[in-house]
Amino acid sequence: MSTVHTIDTDKPSLPRKFGPLKSAMGEMIADLSKLYLTEGGCPDYPSFTPTEEDHQAVAEHVRAVTIIAGRWLRKVGLVVQENALCPIEMTWFSDGTFLETVDGWATDQIANAARAAADEIEDAEGDAGDRRWDERRV
């Protein structure tokens, strides 16, 4: 027995390849891939003692990822707002939602690590200078 398919001429005959949420997710993945592939887009954290600059590169990477995630969240919010039967507070779906959450909290912790790395290098250089001074005095 064969099934008969009818085409409703009031609707498109081909379904959309992706809905708006999948499209938004695909754009986010593409943006993350571009970030990963760009020079400095995804820093290598050295397995030895990272420098202040290494930590700062990680903080910038975190900010870049949250900006991409924020654009995705805004698109999701717009889809929800368009389909909701109640008011949707779009403030919580703004581009900066993730960045505001991460910047100043997680990035502050990374800045602490950067300062500690700089202090450690400064102390090591100071200790070496002290040793050189002591050696000259002998």
Side-chain angles (χ1 to χ4, degrees):
M1 194 184 267
S2 65
T3 305
V4 177
H5 295 281
T6 60
I7 298 175
D8 184 351
T9 55
D10 294 335
K11 296 180 184 173
S13 58
L14 295 173
R16 288 190 300 191
K17 186 173 181 181
F18 296 114
L21 295 179
K22 283 187 179 180
S23 293
M25 177 66 80
E27 290 171 18
M28 181 174 72
I29 291 168
D31 289 345
L32 288 170
S33 295
K34 287 178 203 169
L35 178 66
Y36 177 76
L37 296 173
T38 59
E39 183 68 31
C42 187
D44 287 327
Y45 220 13
S47 57
F48 56 91
T49 306
T51 66
E52 181 179 12
E53 291 78 20
D54 292 326
H55 290 294
Q56 290 169 345
V58 170
E60 288 305 312
H61 175 69
V62 168
R63 286 185 190 98
V65 169
T66 60
I67 289 168
I68 292 169
R71 286 194 301 254
W72 165 80
L73 183 63
R74 181 180 50 80
K75 292 173 185 173
V76 169
L78 290 171
V79 171
V80 171
Q81 184 181 42
E82 184 178 299
N83 291 287
L85 299 176
C86 62
I88 299 298
E89 179 55 59
M90 290 303 293
T91 304
W92 306 116
F93 292 96
S94 73
D95 283 6
T97 300
F98 285 120
L99 183 59
E100 291 167 6
T101 301
V102 169
D103 210 18
W105 295 99
T107 56
D108 188 52
Q109 293 303 302
I110 298 169
N112 289 343
R115 282 189 294 279
D119 291 347
E120 182 68 25
I121 290 169
E122 190 176 297
D123 289 347
E125 289 170 353
D127 290 345
D130 291 345
R131 280 194 300 275
R132 285 192 298 271
W133 172 256
D134 290 341
E135 289 169 1
R136 279 186 254 154
R137 290 180 51 209
V138 172

